[in-house]
Amino acid sequence: MIYHRFVRPWHLEWGATDEEIARRLPGDDIVPTASSETTRAVTIEAPCDEVWPWLVQLGQGRGGFYSYSWLENLAGADIHNVDRIVPELQHLEVGDSIRMATEDYWLQSPLTTMTVERIDPGRTLVFQGYDGGTWTFHLDPIGAETTRFIVRGRTPANQSVVDRVVRYLMYELPHFIMERGMMRGIKTRAERPGHVGDSVSE
């Protein structure tokens, strides 16, 4: 099957180097044995401390996800992506909830919320989902004005066969499209000068 042999390996490791794929990242220990893992990366022409504020703002009712909000809002998620760093959204602590949709979303499911599991300011932010899986955002400085932005997802090995099939058929590719959009959205925002101030949403 062309998708399984060529397309899937490409999108699971989009933009990442062999070293980035093989290395352990902070938060990997939360899911020591994963049934699936994605590692994606992009280079941002801005220092880590200018990329980090965009990560802290992630979430519905916060800064959005900087991706294709029109797609998210087709499902009623009510996502609005900000184009400025908003001081009121710069406070995030371990244990905080990050919503993927509104609190009164029609589908009341743990799928729509993640929890902040780890924070290393300026370097790493780890979310954990209802199933124990992790979503890690890691920043590596590769120069005074350049950052390597790595995003890793790890799914626990204790998933049922049905869950794995559903994830393979219905989740992986749409999630890649949205995650790549998010990564590019963060890159665009961080590289643009003058992004601190009043919030402008799309």
Side-chain angles (χ1 to χ4, degrees), residues 53-70 72-73 77-86 89-90 92 98-101 125 127 135 137 178 181-183 185-186 189 199-202:
W54 298 104
L55 303 185
V56 177
Q57 296 184 163
L58 284 168
Q60 191 280 334
R62 295 172 57 79
F65 292 98
Y66 316 118
S67 190
Y68 309 111
S69 58
W70 66 272
E72 294 161 325
N73 292 333
D78 195 26
I79 303 294
H80 302 278
N81 298 323
V82 301
D83 282 331
R84 296 288 186 270
I85 293 170
V86 184
L89 299 178
Q90 292 300 304
L92 200 62
I98 300 298
R99 296 196 306 271
M100 318 298 279
L125 177 60
F127 297 152
W135 200 17
F137 303 83
M178 299 306 293
M182 175 193 68
M183 295 174 72
I186 290 172
R189 287 164 170 81
S199 173
V200 177
S201 300
E202 56 180 63

Side-chain angles (χ1 to χ4, degrees), residues 14-99:
W14 176 79
T17 65
D18 290 342
E19 185 275 332
E20 289 166 342
I21 294 164
R23 71 184 282 197
R24 288 186 62 80
L25 292 179
D28 283 359
D29 59 302
I30 298 172
V31 183
T33 304
S35 62
S36 65
E37 178 179 280
T38 62
T39 304
R40 296 164 179 142
V42 67
T43 298
I44 300 178
E45 298 302 328
C48 291
D49 61 2
E50 292 185 13
V51 181
W52 178 255
W54 298 104
L55 303 185
V56 177
Q57 296 184 163
L58 284 168
Q60 191 280 334
R62 295 172 57 79
F65 292 98
Y66 316 118
S67 190
Y68 309 111
S69 58
W70 66 272
L71 277 175
E72 294 161 325
N73 292 333
L74 280 177
D78 195 26
I79 303 294
H80 302 278
N81 298 323
V82 301
D83 282 331
R84 296 288 186 270
I85 293 170
V86 184
E88 308 91 84
L89 299 178
Q90 292 300 304
H91 308 288
L92 200 62
E93 297 180 358
V94 170
D96 285 349
S97 292
I98 300 298
R99 296 196 306 271

Side-chain angles (χ1 to χ4, degrees), residues 4-197:
H4 185 78
R5 185 171 181 181
F6 298 105
V7 179
R8 186 171 184 261
W10 168 75
H11 77 63
L12 291 179
E13 300 171 351
W14 176 79
T17 65
D18 290 342
E19 185 275 332
E20 289 166 342
I21 294 164
R23 71 184 282 197
R24 288 186 62 80
L25 292 179
D28 283 359
D29 59 302
I30 298 172
V31 183
T33 304
S35 62
S36 65
E37 178 179 280
T38 62
T39 304
R40 296 164 179 142
V42 67
T43 298
I44 300 178
E45 298 302 328
C48 291
D49 61 2
E50 292 185 13
V51 181
W52 178 255
W54 298 104
L55 303 185
V56 177
Q57 296 184 163
L58 284 168
Q60 191 280 334
R62 295 172 57 79
F65 292 98
Y66 316 118
S67 190
Y68 309 111
S69 58
W70 66 272
L71 277 175
E72 294 161 325
N73 292 333
L74 280 177
D78 195 26
I79 303 294
H80 302 278
N81 298 323
V82 301
D83 282 331
R84 296 288 186 270
I85 293 170
V86 184
E88 308 91 84
L89 299 178
Q90 292 300 304
H91 308 288
L92 200 62
E93 297 180 358
V94 170
D96 285 349
S97 292
I98 300 298
R99 296 196 306 271
M100 318 298 279
T102 58
E103 286 185 287
D104 59 352
Y105 191 57
W106 64 272
L107 177 61
Q108 291 298 309
S109 166
L111 280 168
T112 60
T113 303
M114 301 192 82
T115 301
V116 178
E117 184 65 26
R118 301 250 180 102
I119 300 177
D120 179 5
R123 292 300 300 274
T124 309
L125 177 60
V126 183
F127 297 152
Q128 187 166 30
Y130 79 102
D131 63 351
T134 52
W135 200 17
T136 298
F137 303 83
H138 182 71
L139 303 178
D140 270 339
I142 57 174
E145 299 295 326
T146 307
T147 299
R148 191 68 171 160
F149 178 30
I150 305 171
V151 179
R152 173 166 292 167
R154 285 173 65 83
T155 305
N158 60 359
Q159 283 199 322
S160 68
V161 173
V162 172
D163 285 341
R164 294 186 190 192
V165 171
V166 169
R167 184 179 185 86
Y168 178 87
L169 294 177
M170 301 180 63
Y171 176 81
E172 286 187 352
L173 187 56
H175 178 70
F176 161 65
I177 292 170
M178 299 306 293
E179 183 169 282
R180 182 176 63 170
M182 175 193 68
M183 295 174 72
R184 288 175 165 175
I186 290 172
K187 172 181 169 68
T188 297
R189 287 164 170 81
E191 290 180 345
R192 186 176 60 234
H195 47 242
V196 179

